[in-house]
Amino acid sequence: MLKLPTLEATRNFGAQLARLLPASGVRAVLLRGGLGSGKTTLTAALVQALPGGAEAEVASPSFTLCNIYPTQPPLVHCDLYRAPGHAPEELLDALDAGDALAVVEWADSLDPAELPEDFLDISLKMEDDGRLLLLQGAGPRGEALAAALAGALERDPARPQAATVPRNG
């Protein structure tokens, strides 16, 4: 579990993810959490910290299902809240091609058969004193990314509560 006490801490986590994700070989980030838990805030920080993302206007793709940002690598941001059980073609293409990053809000709606071998799963939960994040990596690259993120945050004295939890299954 990782505690992010402020909105700025959430944005800093997104920027750290942007530094580590492209080189990790992981191309999919699954976001889980209730309404207002910070999924879009985290995605916005990730997009804006990637090369080419500084000018991107990141918004929840609740009604469009997917937004594609001109970052390097390109990022496909999908929200499956209004499309349970249906993965948009843009998302399936991003998961299959491997040349783009995919961030999926409401990832519980995604069929596990559509997932790549390696991905990062982030569960977010709002509490009175900030957000709680649970990082889980799937596959060897996903596990390594989760460990690297937790290690980077453990070295940051402002957030000493980071830890990873091995993914079951």
Side-chain angles (χ1 to χ4, degrees):
M1 283 288 197
L2 167 66
K3 184 156 207 147
L4 299 175
T6 65
L7 186 59
E8 189 59 30
T10 302
R11 289 183 183 126
N12 288 341
F13 176 78
Q16 184 67 36
L17 181 57
R19 284 188 283 282
L20 296 173
L21 181 62
S24 73
V26 173
R27 293 291 178 244
V29 177
L30 310 184
L31 300 178
R32 303 171 197 277
L35 291 170
S37 62
K39 297 179 297 293
T40 302
T41 298
L42 178 58
T43 302
L46 167 62
V47 168
Q48 291 165 349
L50 287 169
E55 301 301 316
E57 291 185 35
V58 180
S60 176
S62 294
F63 295 100
T64 59
L65 299 184
C66 289
N67 292 334
I68 301 173
Y69 301 108
T71 56
Q72 291 301 317
L75 189 137
V76 178
H77 176 203
C78 296
D79 184 327
L80 302 182
Y81 183 74
R82 298 192 191 302
H86 168 73
E89 283 301 315
E90 298 94 334
L91 175 58
L92 294 175
D93 290 346
L95 293 174
D96 286 341
D99 59 348
L101 301 175
V103 175
V104 184
E105 296 188 32
W106 300 98
D108 295 333
S109 297
L110 194 57
D111 182 346
E114 296 170 333
L115 292 173
E117 177 184 351
D118 296 286
F119 61 88
L120 182 66
D121 196 313
I122 302 174
S123 295
L124 299 103
K125 181 181 180 189
M126 280 301 296
E127 297 202 333
D128 290 338
D129 57 347
R131 287 180 177 83
L132 287 179
L133 271 69
L134 175 63
L135 299 175
Q136 296 180 307
R141 292 179 190 151
E143 290 173 2
L145 177 58
L149 281 164
L153 295 170
E154 284 175 344
R155 289 187 296 275
D156 183 343
R159 288 173 292 234
Q161 301 171 340
T164 58
V165 177
R167 182 167 181 81
N168 295 328

